Amino acid sequence: MPILRNSLATALIAPRRRRLLLAALSGALLSLAFPGHPHPLMSWFYHPLWAHIALVPLLLALADRGFKDAFAAGWTCGFVWNLLSLYWVAHTQGGGPAVVAGTLLMAIYLGLFPGLFSGLLSALWARWGTKALILTPCLWTAQEYLLSLGELGFPWLLLGHGQAAIPHFVQHAIWTGVFGVSCWVVGLNLLFYWGLVSRSPGVVTAIGLAYLLPWLHAASAFATPITQHIRIGLIQPNMTLAQKWGPNGLANSFTALEALSRQAATEAPQLLVWPETALPCYLSRRPDCRDRAFAIVEELHIPLLTGASDYDLARKERYNAAFLLHPGHREMTSYAKMHLVPFGERTPWRDSIPLLRDVDWSALTGDLGSAEFVRGTQRTLFPVAETAKFAVLICFESVFPDLVRRSVDKGADFLVIITNDSWFGATAGPFQHAAIAVLRAVENRTAIARCATNGISLFIDRYGRTRLRT
């Protein structure tokens, strides 16, 4: 009897191990579908097409499973995927122990969403048979949407974002948003899975149509000429955190930004853009800082958008903001960031849970502390070139489709993204962040100018095609 029980235990453990290995394989393949580490020896592994088959091993692992086993497989997939793709978060703020631990906890948390997808799909599969698989794209898209909500919302690795490098495959986002692109990607996975297990020749035709239809729609969209243009100079100073925030940081910033702006002015731009927190000062409260910024605007006679902190003296509140300076005027139009980075810029639920207001994260962790900015409440349209208006997105805000769409619906003719990706160094982070902006352009049929302190500045046309990227 002991020998029989041991043999039975081995037989039960081995299939479970295989399921988890299949799930981990899906996670690894998903990570390869997003921009990865930029080192030449590694970067060639990464390509959006991996996403089209990445979920097939996970679907194989879910067959004939209960909710609990399926959830474990989905969580394993999500944990591996997020850890491999978001490793760069551990580089933030110098990569101290708390940040590294926070990155691990983030991967654990984000893995819950694929886990929920897998558990529900497997439960429906057991109840309704293989016809339940038709719900696979909808269930996946639902968990992605759920991931985008709330103060801990983090829709960074949406499958649709991973397709940004192939504009022909994302044009239907104008109707469906990025979630529709994700739905299409999961649908392809389902077709490849079904072709593998059924060997039906009809699946080949379905796969062909699934690729052909988006491609034909994109070709039709690309045939429409772009007739409106505006010249913008993006100023990327490539300053390190020490140069910017250390001794003489403000002087260092002005020296670099002014020199580059004078170079850009020779090409007659209608707007100059400096990146997020380009000026490490409270611009509206520092007359010396404000006067120097206006001086370069008057010298070049070009409007300037710059990122800087703002401070409400009456309320004693700090904001991560953007300011537009016009030549011939001393007034500044401003916008305060509305969606702040959880834990990096503001403690989640700080307003609703008073106890959290007294937590000193820096003292508690030694290397991690929220800046505790206050959320902006007003969308701002900035006028430029007499007839054009644009809205500003500050860094993390570009990740949220609904926030961006509301700015466009307010009347923005184009969008400007300012960001400070120098926190992440030479990692996958800046590349992933830049790719996300492509979907925002396609969803809204709106051109985007993206200006970074470090990393990637670029122009994106209304069809998601990029040019002049740093």
Side-chain angles (χ1 to χ4, degrees):
M1 288 297 292
I3 295 176
L4 179 60
R5 282 198 297 269
N6 288 340
S7 299
L8 181 60
T10 302
L12 291 173
I13 289 171
R16 184 172 188 273
R17 186 176 299 162
R18 284 197 298 271
R19 289 196 302 274
L20 294 180
L21 286 174
L22 285 169
L25 175 60
S26 276
L29 291 174
L30 285 169
S31 73
L32 292 177
F34 290 81
H37 196 281
H39 192 282
L41 293 179
M42 300 177 65
S43 60
W44 68 274
F45 282 103
Y46 299 89
H47 197 280
L49 292 179
W50 284 115
H52 300 185
I53 60 168
L55 292 176
V56 173
L58 177 61
L59 291 173
L60 291 170
L62 298 183
D64 301 319
R65 294 294 104 201
F67 180 91
K68 184 177 178 181
D69 286 344
F71 182 91
W75 179 87
T76 300
C77 168
F79 174 76
V80 171
W81 172 25
N82 284 281
L83 193 64
L84 292 177
S85 296
L86 302 176
Y87 72 92
W88 50 267
V89 177
H91 189 279
T92 307
Q93 294 187 343
V99 181
V100 173
T103 305
L104 183 63
L105 289 173
M106 182 174 68
I108 292 172
Y109 164 70
L110 294 175
L112 298 176
F113 293 86
L116 180 62
F117 154 79
S118 299
L120 289 175
L121 177 61
S122 188
L124 293 172
W125 196 343
R127 184 179 181 87
W128 295 338
T130 54
K131 60 179 178 287
L133 291 178
I134 195 70
L135 297 175
T136 303
C138 299
L139 290 173
W140 182 274
T141 307
Q143 65 87 15
E144 282 197 344
Y145 179 72
L146 186 64
L147 179 59
S148 72
L149 303 177
E151 294 196 38
L152 289 182
F154 193 74
W156 190 280
L157 294 179
L158 304 183
L159 291 186
H161 286 156
Q163 301 301 298
I166 313 178
H168 278 83
F169 287 159
V170 300
Q171 295 307 307
H172 55 284
I174 188 175
W175 301 322
T176 67
V178 64
F179 301 107
V181 181
S182 296
C183 189
W184 171 76
V185 171
V186 179
L188 280 170
N189 277 271
L190 183 59
L191 288 174
F192 280 116
Y193 166 80
W194 194 246
L196 183 65
V197 299
S198 71
R199 309 298 175 97
S200 170
V203 176
V204 176
T205 303
I207 292 172
L209 287 173
Y211 281 113
L212 180 62
L213 294 177
W215 195 274
L216 291 176
H217 171 239
S220 174
F222 294 162
T224 305
I226 296 174
T227 57
Q228 293 178 306
H229 300 271
I230 185 168
R231 295 179 64 78
I232 300 176
L234 304 180
I235 309 302
Q236 179 172 316
N238 283 341
M239 296 183 67
T240 65
L241 294 173
Q243 290 171 325
K244 181 176 176 180
W245 299 105
N248 301 315
L250 182 58
N252 293 338
S253 298
F254 264 120
T255 299
L257 292 165
E258 289 168 343
L260 292 169
S261 296
R262 291 186 179 102
Q263 291 180 37
T266 63
E267 300 189 37
Q270 295 162 281
L271 174 68
L272 290 174
V273 179
W274 293 358
E276 179 188 16
T277 58
L279 298 177
C281 68
Y282 292 121
L283 186 59
S284 64
R285 297 293 172 185
R286 284 277 301 270
D288 58 329
C289 184
R290 189 168 60 252
D291 290 346
R292 187 163 177 179
F294 269 110
I296 191 70
V297 171
E298 296 296 346
E299 174 192 334
L300 302 178
H301 204 70
I302 301 170
L304 168 67
L305 178 81
T306 182
S309 297
D310 198 8
Y311 187 74
D312 187 317
L313 192 60
R315 298 181 178 180
K316 297 183 178 179
E317 294 176 340
R318 293 192 299 156
Y319 300 89
N320 186 350
F323 297 85
L324 182 65
L325 290 66
H326 273 282
H329 301 273
R330 293 297 294 181
E331 298 81 16
M332 298 185 298
T333 310
S334 66
Y335 165 75
K337 187 175 184 179
M338 301 177 73
H339 197 116
L340 301 169
V341 179
F343 299 107
E345 292 180 317
R346 188 169 179 84
T347 301
W349 305 299
R350 190 175 188 270
D351 295 326
S352 54
I353 305 177
L355 180 65
L356 293 176
R357 301 171 195 168
D358 301 323
V359 177
D360 186 342
W361 294 103
S362 296
L364 188 65
T365 65
D367 65 349
L368 180 64
S370 296
E372 301 303 354
F373 287 113
V374 175
R375 297 183 192 88
T377 57
Q378 299 292 326
R379 289 179 172 81
T380 303
L381 288 182
F382 295 92
V384 69
E386 297 182 356
T387 59
K389 300 184 294 293
F390 68 92
V392 174
L393 307 168
I394 301 179
C395 193
F396 191 49
E397 292 185 313
S398 65
V399 178
F400 294 89
D402 183 63
L403 187 151
V404 178
R405 186 176 294 280
R406 289 174 187 271
S407 295
V408 176
D409 288 345
K410 190 178 175 71
D413 298 303
F414 66 96
L415 300 170
V416 174
I417 298 173
I418 58 173
T419 185
N420 178 16
D421 287 347
S422 56
W423 297 102
F424 313 132
T427 66
F431 294 87
Q432 294 172 2
H433 198 187
I436 288 170
V438 169
L439 269 296
R440 303 294 87 83
V442 177
E443 287 169 337
N444 299 284
R445 280 291 185 257
T446 304
I448 293 177
R450 184 182 194 272
C451 184
T453 298
N454 245 326
I456 300 173
S457 299
L458 78 166
F459 295 99
I460 309 170
D461 75 9
R462 61 205 305 263
Y463 302 108
R465 297 171 297 194
T466 65
R467 65 184 184 90
L468 298 179
R469 61 188 287 145
T470 55

